[in-house]
Amino acid sequence: MTLDPHARVGAYEILAPLGAGGMGEVYLARDPKLDRNVALKVLSGRLSGDPESLGRFEREAKAVAALSHPNILAIHDFGVDGGVAYAVTELLEGETLRERMGGSPLPVRKAIDYALQLASGLAAAHGKGIVHRDLKPENLFVTNDGRVKILDFGLARITAPDAGDPSTQSPTAVPGTQPGTVMGTMGYMSPEQVKGRPADHRSDLFAFGAILYEMLSGARAFKGDSAAETMSAILKEDPLDLASTGRSFPPGIERIIQHCLEKVPEERFQSPRDIAFALQ
């Protein structure tokens, strides 16, 4: 489905296309009530009629709406208009972390700054019982003023929120993944995801370690010539030492990454706040 300029979806006027993906298209749109530009994500036509896809789209909107944090994309509205499901989010200006890296390592200070912001956003999500399950450079956006935003909670799973905190009560729940179902993106999945086992917040911390490694080294932590080789590397191998890049790094940074990338969840960091404390 392609929307023409000046078409209306709900109360919003389409201005121009911004991009497209497997789930649908994203448009620059105008919010007439608040007189501001927004991003409007439209579920593709073939998926709008699929109850499972529509449910996933709505769960993503509700998951993000449950969060209010500077390092997580803000959602303003969700609805269905004439069979078209749409979500309205803040309009971001900048580029994805993948684009920012451009296949090269980032300056160490910048990489650690981005990692601390990612840890802060993850702590907010995990505090609400939301596990992202698909963290990767394409799902992290760096705004023009250097703010990191976590995007795309389409594979998010809602677990029990932090006990004893009424503010963490989640508005929705996502059933657990069926055993044997592999969910995530190759190269950033945790060993338990590769095995099709349930993924909790510690799977996000494994992906965090892979992303931090890539920001510092310019190379992916786990990458084979085939999907099978990449999965085998995740299960059995460790990335090359950062020292092999010939760059100098703060003492302890390699140990932090290794602790994130432990194969057994119980042996990893147990929270983003622990990672942030170690980085600081």
Side-chain angles (χ1 to χ4, degrees):
M1 174 186 297
T2 301
L3 300 175
D4 296 324
H6 306 302
R8 286 196 172 272
V9 177
Y12 305 92
E13 180 186 2
I14 301 299
L15 300 179
L18 290 177
M23 292 288 288
E25 298 83 36
V26 181
Y27 295 89
L28 172 66
R30 190 70 180 171
D31 178 352
K33 292 182 180 179
L34 296 178
D35 194 26
R36 63 181 175 181
N37 287 346
V38 294
L40 188 142
K41 182 178 180 181
V42 176
L43 193 63
S44 68
R46 63 182 177 82
L47 296 178
S48 290
D50 174 33
E52 182 176 345
S53 297
L54 184 59
R56 172 181 159 183
F57 191 58
E58 183 174 6
R59 285 195 299 271
E60 177 186 4
K62 288 183 176 180
V64 178
L67 303 168
S68 179
H69 191 275
N71 297 119
I72 296 176
L73 178 72
I75 187 165
H76 303 315
D77 195 9
F78 173 85
V80 179
D81 180 23
V84 176
Y86 65 92
V88 180
T89 70
E90 64 177 316
L91 180 65
L92 300 178
E93 295 183 356
E95 58 191 348
T96 66
L97 179 60
R98 171 72 67 211
E99 293 167 332
R100 177 63 59 93
M101 290 190 295
S104 301
L106 296 176
V108 173
R109 187 166 57 89
K110 187 65 68 176
I112 293 177
D113 174 41
Y114 291 168
L116 286 169
Q117 292 189 58
L118 174 56
S120 181
L122 276 183
H126 292 174
K128 291 282 189 179
I130 298 172
V131 181
H132 191 285
R133 298 200 297 181
D134 196 24
L135 288 175
K136 55 187 176 182
E138 290 83 353
N139 284 342
L140 300 174
F141 196 92
V142 184
T143 66
N144 289 338
D145 62 355
R147 177 82 67 182
V148 173
K149 296 273 188 175
I150 303 175
L151 313 178
D152 197 352
F153 283 76
L155 294 185
R157 176 170 179 251
I158 313 300
T159 60
D162 284 351
D165 183 354
S167 69
T168 62
Q169 297 306 307
S170 173
T172 186
V174 179
T177 306
Q178 291 295 321
T181 302
V182 177
M183 301 189 74
T185 296
M186 197 62 62
Y188 302 93
M189 289 188 291
S190 64
E192 56 270 25
Q193 286 175 290
V194 168
K195 295 176 182 178
R197 294 177 180 172
D200 62 17
H201 63 283
R202 295 169 298 187
S203 290
D204 284 349
L205 304 187
F206 186 93
F208 179 104
I211 293 167
L212 178 55
Y213 178 90
E214 190 168 346
M215 285 195 292
L216 291 170
S217 70
R220 298 197 185 194
F222 305 101
K223 188 174 185 349
D225 293 334
S226 66
E229 289 183 4
T230 300
M231 293 170 76
S232 177
I234 290 171
L235 293 172
K236 302 176 182 178
E237 300 174 12
D238 293 324
L240 291 174
D241 291 344
L242 286 176
S244 65
T245 65
R247 306 175 73 205
S248 60
F249 298 97
I253 191 72
E254 185 129 36
R255 187 170 62 252
I256 291 172
I257 293 173
Q258 290 170 346
H259 197 16
C260 290
L261 297 179
E262 293 286 356
K263 308 301 184 186
V264 179
E266 289 77 13
E267 296 178 358
R268 290 177 209 145
F269 283 105
Q270 296 299 294
S271 79
R273 289 188 176 88
D274 291 341
I275 299 176
F277 181 82
L279 287 172
Q280 288 168 340

